[in-house]
Amino acid sequence: MSLFRFYSPPAIRKRGLRSAILAGLGRGAHSWLALLVMKGLNAALTAVSNFVLAYVLIRTVGLESYAFIAGLLAVAALVVQCDLGIAVLTFSELRSHYLSEAQKRKANQDDNDLVLAIVTIYSAIAAIAVATLGVAFFAGIVPVAHHSIAYFLIFAGAVCPLPHMPLRMAINARDGFVWTESVELARRVAILAVTIAMLFGLSLVAYSTLSLLIWVTSIAALVWLARPHGFALQSGVFLEGLLFLRRKFREARAAVVLSSAKFVISIFPYYLLSATGDGLAIVAFDMFYKVSRFAMMTYLIGAETVLPHQTRALHNKNAFGLGRATAAGFLLGLLPMTLGIVAVSMFGERIFGTILNHSGIVSPTMRTALCAMLVFMLIQTTCAFVLVGAGKFEALARRASITLAGMALISALMLLFHWSIDTFIVAYVCVYGAGALLYAECLYSLSRSLWLKSSQAFKMGTVQKI
């Protein structure tokens, strides 16, 4: 055997080396540790990039232009919100098909049609939004004295996540989590490098052009990755995908309600507090929001890392495997939650005072409420990912709607009785916490049902391991 290896032709040795490399890459692509590392790096880069972008833009184009860009990004966020949870529903559907079909290499035609339809619709929405902004600039409806081309390109890049999302979901549904995170990592590193380059003379137009090009390249990379993961997007039938969505209207409606409710719950205090005219209250809530959003991003590292194992356990009706994976995700979230609580409770006054250049805006009561919020967010994030993987959109939509109704009630009470910002935040956290417990109750019901099915399957000798 050794002589054969020694005298084997170079082509055979080359093919053997390539096969070994591909096999190694394949094992890495299914490694939970690789996924955890990738998600951790992406979360860290996201946090760094947000602060670096603000730092750089303020120093290169000024505070006024930065404020305009922030407004554009807020509008782009509303455009991206047009997804309304359809991408998550698509993931649940495609993941179920993938696991049910014994992990066939090629996706069926219905799945191809569905992905093509959603990507086409979202690309059209993004293009219409960009064209509308261009017309508004050209007609003077949105007056811009300087940087109009740069603003236009920045907005175009900011709506790229819309067609980007369903592509990621489709590839992830077929165990491509590590590959999509790799694309995300490359994109974030490239955009961070371009952002920093502005400090060394790169113009705003060049920055916006390169950022848009990076986004387009990222989408192209996902389209390329879709083929080895079973999708031939160019051969899909658009109308067939629309018909499928129509057949799934009930679940799609629940996904829309869930996504919309979660979005409103997270941002409505900005608009409510703006109506009161209390500028300090808005600044205080902005700090509350930013810390809680950053916490959510760190919780997603653990939740998304164990998601492939949870969906496999759900498919195999393996209650023990589901519990083990969910517990692992929760434990991964405990570390950032604990660090966040310690930082806010012990050093919050100094941290917020330094950021805002004023002390006392974020009161001790609000900091205590923020600590409770970090706990409730971990509970809700952990439960929500399992339930979405199980396709429990209607159950989640009902609970999110109940939480939203509670938020509407405390908003009315605030306006009626002129609550202080501290009282409102405490009420906000209490309602959010009640919603998180409703999610936990739903997960408990699912787990209990799965344990009963698992016990019956075990007696029949049909339990499968993850």
Side-chain angles (χ1 to χ4, degrees), residues 142-337:
V142 179
V144 283
H146 307 287
H147 310 304
S148 58
I149 296 176
Y151 293 154
F152 178 80
L153 294 173
I154 287 172
F155 183 82
V159 298
C160 282
L162 195 53
H164 188 268
M165 284 187 295
L167 286 169
R168 281 193 68 190
M169 292 294 185
I171 297 170
N172 285 346
R174 302 182 70 82
D175 281 338
F177 296 91
V178 172
W179 294 114
T180 58
E181 288 298 322
S182 300
V183 172
E184 283 293 284
L185 182 63
R187 178 181 65 79
R188 294 181 192 281
V189 169
I191 289 182
L192 180 60
V194 171
T195 304
I196 294 174
M198 292 180 69
L199 292 174
F200 300 93
L202 186 70
S203 68
L204 183 62
V205 172
Y207 160 79
S208 56
T209 302
L210 290 173
S211 295
L212 177 59
L213 180 61
I214 291 168
W215 264 111
V216 172
T217 303
S218 173
I219 293 173
L222 292 181
V223 172
W224 180 80
L225 276 174
R227 178 172 287 278
H229 284 87
F231 294 99
L233 299 181
Q234 73 275 12
S235 63
V237 180
F238 178 73
L239 290 179
E240 291 296 328
L242 291 182
L243 290 175
F244 176 83
L245 281 176
R246 183 181 177 183
R247 293 194 298 270
K248 302 291 291 183
F249 176 75
R250 188 174 180 181
E251 287 186 25
R253 181 179 59 186
V256 168
V257 171
L258 173 62
S259 178
S260 301
K262 289 174 64 177
F263 181 73
V264 173
I265 287 168
S266 65
I267 68 163
F268 86 91
Y270 277 113
Y271 304 108
L272 179 66
L273 296 173
S274 296
T276 66
D278 189 346
L280 290 180
I282 298 172
V283 172
F285 179 77
D286 186 61
M287 290 294 101
F288 180 93
Y289 176 84
K290 281 182 166 54
V291 173
S292 59
R293 290 306 100 187
F294 178 69
M296 172 70 79
M297 190 165 53
T298 61
Y299 297 160
L300 291 179
I301 297 172
E304 293 183 356
T305 297
V306 300
L307 182 61
H309 306 284
Q310 289 172 333
T311 51
R312 286 182 185 278
L314 285 166
H315 174 74
N316 295 329
K317 296 181 175 58
N318 185 345
F320 176 75
L322 176 64
R324 183 177 59 187
T326 304
F330 184 79
L331 289 174
L332 287 171
L334 279 179
L335 177 60
M337 184 199 76

Side-chain angles (χ1 to χ4, degrees), residues 68 131-145:
F68 188 85
T132 302
L133 181 71
V135 171
F137 279 177
F138 181 78
I141 299 172
V142 179
V144 283

Side-chain angles (χ1 to χ4, degrees), residues 317 451-464:
K317 296 181 175 58
W451 272 111
L452 292 175
K453 293 178 182 178
S454 233
S455 299
Q456 294 173 358
F458 181 77
K459 291 176 183 178
M460 297 172 63
T462 59
V463 170
Q464 300 180 31

